[in-house]
Amino acid sequence: MSILTERRTYVAGEWVIGDQVIAVENPADETHVADVSATPVAEVERAILAARTAFDDGVWAQRAPRDRAQVLHTLIDHLETNHETLVDTLVAEAGQPAQFADQTQCRTGISIARQTIDLYLSMRHEEATPVPVDDLTRGRVALSILRHEPVGVVTAITPYNAALIMALQKLIPALMAGNSVILRPSPLTPLSSLIFGHAADAAGLPAGVLSVVAEEGTEGAQLLTTHPAVDMVSFTGSTVAGRNIIAQAAPTVKRLSLELGGKSAQIYLPTPSHVSASARWASWHAPQDRHASPRHACSSRRSTKRRYSNALPPRTTRSKWGPPPIRPH
Amino acid sequence: MGPVISAAQRSKCERFVQLAEQQGAKVRAGGKRPEGLDRGYYFEPTVLDLPNNANPAAQEEIFGPVLGVIGYRDVDDAVRIANDSVYGLSGQVYGADTAAAVAVARRIRSGAVNVNTTVFSALAPSGGYKQSGLGRERGPEASANSRKSSTCRLESSHHDRIERHHEPQPGLARLGRRPHPRTAQPVVDRVAKKDRDRAPHMIKDDKTGMDVWVYDGKKFPSSG
């Protein structure tokens, strides 16, 4: 088992050490995993300003989409090269099953990231829009072009349950579109996200285009949701935190992308196809997944109810729990 | 199954089991910390038999291995229960009859509904209805949300200039000759002027002083 050795955070192309540390604990056995150096608030602001400068100077946004795609593929290559370290780090910081870290977070995350790049390249960057015939005939307007431009400075605040895949699905579309991004992982799982700093270095991403900050509290996060130089906040977390972010982003009218709480229902029709699927899904990663559905509605018809109630408890009582076994890579 | 993330999160699971029981729920499995595991934040996989959808364990997000089961009368009732929530992030429908399951899925108000399976794809967006969020992750929506659009309108004089600039000269190109500036210019101008005359345009009528359209050599009154 070898976890990521980086303990500093990544601000505007430099590795930064602060005065305070975030003690990362493994929830599986309460052992101390690592002390990650917290990013001082002044450094968080420097990350924002560097992101702004990088965006306004066009060092990333003005490059051809194909060039950006190539750089981002190299960035993702770095994650793939460090696959085993990444899985071990995710298991250690979140106490999650190795299979979840390996398959869902790393493999699916990376595949989604690469496909997102292709998807972006298939999209139009400029397109003609119809000129109303009145404007056309009056000779006022001859041509109307819709140009798609990056939003600017995007801050990405990710949760503890799936730090890597959430970061990928926020960073890649944002960077691909030409934005500058500041990633702020959950204080509970800050370690795995530091790999993005090394990946940015390896890919030769211009300084300031991607920064990774970490902190114990929320002072830095509040700067990321309120600073006038920030154009957009992308957040995954609770609805309570989401409401606060809406309020914080309101004075400067930031664009928001919020993936918040859920209480998703699973409906079992009177002739269910495979009852056990839900129990298995429900026990995946100790349901710290909003899409794992904690409300089950089953038919009150006697036969189905009996089958259902027979199916669930044994399935759950058969589940084993304990520290995630380390899977041989 | 592994642990939940923290002691606080485990307490939340315990609190919700307690709250659910106070309001008539029955614990069918789990409901407590597993024995023999002193270190780590574990909570047994828990199944609650809930009397109704108003139960706290049915309404609030617990974010742990606590699962509530609610009986329904008929499919309409099941859909009502599923939609009776401030959230709308996801959902699942299981049924042997796929068409019937899809018909139910279409009535669920959430950002995703999975029928007899789950899906996680770069092309399929995910996000919330109601208080489950704004915007979408993944899919074309996520890429589109990383951009803003700006409409650029060009007035006709600019258009003319662009047209003249890009005007192809197929005859000369076929011969592989570079157009001589003196001969090339009139060709392009003639085309542009012809097009300009043919295109509808507005002039001031000498007699009435009103704006009129000129199109195909005829005059038409302007609507304003």
Side-chain angles (χ1 to χ4, degrees), chain A residues 96-214:
Chain A
Q96 62 193 210
Q99 201 192 345
F100 182 82
D102 178 18
Q103 292 294 331
T104 310
Q105 291 230 64
C106 290
R107 292 185 202 277
T108 309
I110 283 168
S111 142
I112 282 178
R114 294 208 193 273
Q115 287 177 52
T116 300
I117 295 173
D118 291 345
L119 179 67
Y120 185 86
L121 290 175
S122 76
M123 292 166 74
R124 286 184 173 173
H125 315 302
E126 270 187 7
E127 53 196 312
T129 48
V131 177
V133 76
D134 279 355
D135 289 345
L136 194 62
T137 50
R138 277 171 210 173
R140 288 180 191 157
V141 178
L143 198 60
S144 178
I145 299 167
L146 191 63
R147 296 161 55 241
H148 298 288
E149 297 181 314
V151 176
V153 175
V154 178
T155 57
I157 303 177
T158 53
Y160 61 76
N161 61 336
L164 185 79
I165 192 164
M166 293 290 168
L168 281 170
Q169 67 185 34
K170 288 183 193 302
L171 297 189
I172 299 300
L175 289 172
M176 197 50 222
N179 298 291
S180 297
V181 185
I182 297 138
L183 172 65
R184 188 268 194 193
S186 160
L188 295 165
T189 56
L191 202 50
S192 57
S193 294
L194 301 177
I195 198 162
F196 285 104
H198 287 287
D201 275 346
L205 207 64
V209 172
L210 177 62
S211 291
V212 185
V213 300

Side-chain angles (χ1 to χ4, degrees), chain A residues 25-31 93-97 104 108 111-112 115-116 119-120 123-125 129 132 134 136-152 160-161 165-166 169-170 173-174 177 179 188-189 232 234-236 238-239 243 246 255-274 277-279 281-301 305 308 312-313 316-317 319-324, chain B residues 1-6 9-10 28-30 33-35 37-47 49-50 53 56-73 75 78-79 81-97 100-102 104 108 112 114 116-118 120-123 126-128 131-157 159-160 162 200-202 213 223-224:
Chain A
E25 184 191 36
N26 185 341
D29 54 11
E30 299 177 47
T31 52
E93 70 180 1
Q96 62 193 210
T104 310
T108 309
S111 142
I112 282 178
Q115 287 177 52
T116 300
L119 179 67
Y120 185 86
M123 292 166 74
R124 286 184 173 173
H125 315 302
T129 48
D134 279 355
L136 194 62
T137 50
R138 277 171 210 173
R140 288 180 191 157
V141 178
L143 198 60
S144 178
I145 299 167
L146 191 63
R147 296 161 55 241
H148 298 288
E149 297 181 314
V151 176
Y160 61 76
N161 61 336
I165 192 164
M166 293 290 168
Q169 67 185 34
K170 288 183 193 302
N179 298 291
L188 295 165
T189 56
M232 174 175 172
S234 178
F235 168 76
T236 295
S238 73
T239 296
R243 287 190 197 112
I246 294 172
R255 178 177 289 191
L256 295 173
S257 179
L258 307 172
E259 196 197 18
L260 308 177
K263 194 70 186 175
S264 308
Q266 285 193 344
I267 296 177
Y268 284 79
L269 295 179
T271 49
S273 59
H274 39 282
S278 119
W281 177 243
S283 59
W284 185 241
H285 190 15
Q288 295 172 97
D289 180 336
R290 310 206 141 74
H291 298 274
S293 311
R295 277 193 304 163
H296 287 233
C298 72
S299 166
S300 56
R301 264 195 229 165
K305 192 173 188 183
Y308 188 87
L312 264 178
T316 52
T317 46
S319 299
K320 289 178 184 151
W321 49 86
Chain B
M1 193 173 79
V4 294
I5 194 74
S6 62
Q9 204 56 36
R10 182 177 55 191
R28 296 289 181 193
R33 299 179 190 189
E35 282 159 25
L37 273 170
D38 303 337
R39 318 253 328 145
Y41 309 117
Y42 296 92
F43 197 71
E44 285 189 16
T46 301
V47 179
D49 189 345
L50 301 179
N53 196 43
Q59 285 297 319
E60 285 171 56
E61 185 178 54
I62 303 168
F63 225 59
V66 181
L67 196 142
V69 182
I70 304 164
Y72 62 81
R73 282 189 303 278
V75 168
V79 171
I81 292 168
N83 287 335
D84 175 22
S85 171
V86 296
Y87 298 115
L89 194 59
S90 186
Q92 285 167 46
V93 182
Y94 289 96
D97 180 350
V102 169
V104 173
I108 308 299
N114 301 304
N116 293 334
T117 185
T118 57
F120 207 69
S121 149
L123 304 178
S126 160
Q131 292 181 31
S132 285
L134 299 170
R136 293 290 178 267
E137 299 261 308
R138 303 192 299 279
E141 280 84 349
S143 290
N145 204 31
S146 301
R147 321 193 290 187
K148 58 189 177 192
S149 64
S150 169
T151 293
C152 177
R153 294 208 174 89
L154 304 183
E155 60 168 319
S156 50
S157 60
H159 185 221
D160 281 353
I162 286 166
H201 59 279
M202 193 179 259
W213 290 114
S223 58

Side-chain angles (χ1 to χ4, degrees), chain B residues 169-180:
Chain B
Q169 298 182 39
L172 291 168
R174 240 195 332 270
L175 292 169
R177 275 190 228 154
R178 290 165 64 85
H180 189 278

